[in-house]
Amino acid sequence: MKTNKEAFSDYLLLEKKYSLHTAEAYMGDILSFEDFCKSNFEQEGIEQAGYSQIRSWIVDLVDRNVLNVSINRKMASLKAFYKFLLKTKQIEVNPMLKHKSLKTPKIVQIPFSEKELKDLLVQIDSPLGFEEVRDKLIVEMFYMTGMRRAELIGLMVKNVDVYSGVVKVLGKRNKERIIPVLPIVADQLGSYLKEREALNEVVDSDYFFLSKKGLKLSESFVYRLINSYFSRVSEKVKKSPHVLRHTFATHLLNNGADLNSVKELLGHSSLASTQVYTHNSLAELKKVYKGAHPRNK
């Protein structure tokens, strides 16, 4: 019979489709907390640990000068583990329920420039075969819709309307939203579907984006794909699906879109979440202002 930790590891790999690296990171955090409880509380397992023990671990980590961002990651691992135990009825109360993350300095995301996007799209303008057609469409969908990585991976075939030029995505807290796509992308959606129909085997048929083996894409695969493509045209340190989402919002705002419209497209519940994207837009506005105002001539 599998232990709770083994069952949780299987859950991360098989159900959540996390990469082996990510699952191992989660398990490493859980084992570290288990070792802490064993050393400090003579407690063998952590299934029945209370928040007082978790708080003691946080204090210990802070005393050892572990960065808040790293502590938050460890707490996220514990939160996922206890949520799994609650779901499988191994515990009755989640000790992490009221935990609040430690404050961390805000990192300003640097979006890709319009030139970087143009250069990449020119490079991949004439894709050949299933994988190239899919990869180009993934880049376009991130940039043209601003959807999250999880939303793209979870996009269902039934929610893609090529003829109307809209897609329906399932966002955070199971909130659905409709996103329009431009005709050029709608055409690519149709081209991809034709390539998809020619696959020898389709296992996860409900999902729109698939691997060449007909399987639902993993988060790590999509991250590596975006990182690899943008490494061709950008020297930015961070090259990820989230940076593309940030780029989508920034470019819209730079070109005159109003904040409320961008908020709806991104699926944010409040304007406060969208306003983080105005940082780069403000920088662009200042540049235009300085160049255009007569007093600066």
Side-chain angles (χ1 to χ4, degrees):
M1 186 176 179
K2 290 184 178 180
T3 64
N4 286 327
K5 292 194 294 294
E6 290 171 336
F8 179 61
S9 180
D10 287 346
Y11 168 74
L12 295 177
L13 292 168
L14 302 177
E15 290 194 39
K16 300 293 286 184
K17 302 291 185 183
Y18 285 177
S19 67
L20 181 60
H21 175 77
T22 302
E24 287 177 345
Y26 272 69
M27 297 311 298
D29 294 335
I30 290 164
L31 290 172
S32 293
F33 180 53
E34 194 171 60
D35 289 341
F36 176 80
C37 287
K38 187 174 182 180
S39 299
N40 292 272
F41 301 105
E42 297 183 355
Q43 184 174 326
E44 289 297 325
I46 60 171
E47 283 79 359
Q48 301 306 320
Y51 189 67
S52 60
Q53 290 152 297
I54 295 169
R55 187 168 56 243
S56 295
W57 190 36
I58 294 172
V59 171
D60 179 68
L61 292 169
V62 170
D63 288 344
R64 291 194 282 116
N65 296 317
V66 177
L67 295 175
N68 283 6
V69 65
S70 297
I71 295 174
N72 286 342
R73 192 209 70 197
K74 294 178 187 296
M75 294 306 111
S77 298
L78 284 189
K79 186 176 289 187
F81 181 59
Y82 285 116
K83 189 175 180 180
F84 170 76
L85 293 180
L86 193 67
K87 181 179 179 180
T88 55
K89 303 189 186 303
Q90 303 301 308
I91 60 174
E92 294 183 357
V93 178
N94 184 347
M96 294 290 292
L97 190 62
K98 295 184 179 180
H99 172 75
K100 292 185 178 180
S101 298
L102 302 182
K103 289 185 178 180
T104 57
K106 289 186 177 180
I107 300 173
V108 177
Q109 294 282 358
I110 302 175
F112 298 116
S113 67
E114 290 188 32
K115 182 181 184 304
E116 286 171 330
L117 261 300
K118 183 179 179 180
D119 288 347
L120 178 60
L121 293 174
V122 166
Q123 284 188 25
I124 59 177
D125 185 48
S126 302
L128 297 172
F130 170 76
E131 289 185 285
E132 286 188 10
V133 170
R134 177 203 61 199
D135 293 355
K136 182 177 190 295
L137 179 57
I138 287 175
V139 172
E140 290 272 27
M141 288 291 279
F142 277 131
Y143 181 53
M144 302 294 274
T145 70
M147 64 173 61
R148 301 176 178 93
R149 176 171 54 173
E151 292 170 346
L152 181 133
I153 291 171
L155 186 63
M156 311 297 280
V157 174
K158 66 180 181 180
N159 291 333
V160 176
D161 190 333
V162 176
Y163 300 103
S164 298
V166 295
V167 295
K168 181 165 67 175
V169 300
L170 186 65
K172 289 184 176 181
R173 295 176 291 279
N174 293 322
K175 185 180 178 182
E176 290 185 341
R177 71 182 186 281
I178 305 293
I179 307 176
V181 294
L182 295 176
I184 188 172
V185 179
D187 290 343
Q188 290 179 49
L189 290 170
S191 298
Y192 167 74
L193 283 172
K194 288 179 182 177
E195 293 286 346
R196 186 182 183 278
E197 288 172 3
L199 289 176
N200 293 326
E201 183 181 7
V202 174
V203 179
D204 296 320
S205 58
D206 290 340
Y207 293 96
F208 187 77
F209 286 107
L210 300 175
S211 70
K212 62 182 178 180
K213 294 182 179 179
L215 299 171
K216 178 185 177 185
L217 301 182
S218 68
E219 291 192 0
S220 58
F221 174 86
V222 175
Y223 178 88
R224 290 196 306 270
L225 185 151
I226 295 301
N227 186 277
S228 174
Y229 273 94
F230 278 89
S231 292
R232 301 180 186 182
V233 296
S234 177
E235 295 183 356
K236 290 182 174 64
V237 175
K238 189 76 171 176
K239 298 181 280 287
S240 68
H242 185 69
V243 173
L244 257 181
R245 176 173 162 85
H246 184 75
T247 301
F248 162 82
T250 302
H251 288 185
L252 282 180
L253 291 166
N254 283 349
N255 285 280
D258 70 276
L259 201 59
N260 270 306
S261 296
V262 176
K263 166 185 169 292
E264 293 302 317
L265 289 167
L266 291 171
H268 286 158
S269 56
S270 70
L271 271 179
S273 299
T274 314
Q275 283 170 337
V276 67
Y277 297 105
T278 62
H279 175 85
N280 293 286
S281 301
L282 184 58
E284 183 69 18
L285 189 61
K286 285 180 179 178
K287 182 180 174 182
V288 172
Y289 174 70
K290 286 180 179 179
H293 200 285
R295 291 283 286 166
N296 200 41
K297 299 296 183 182

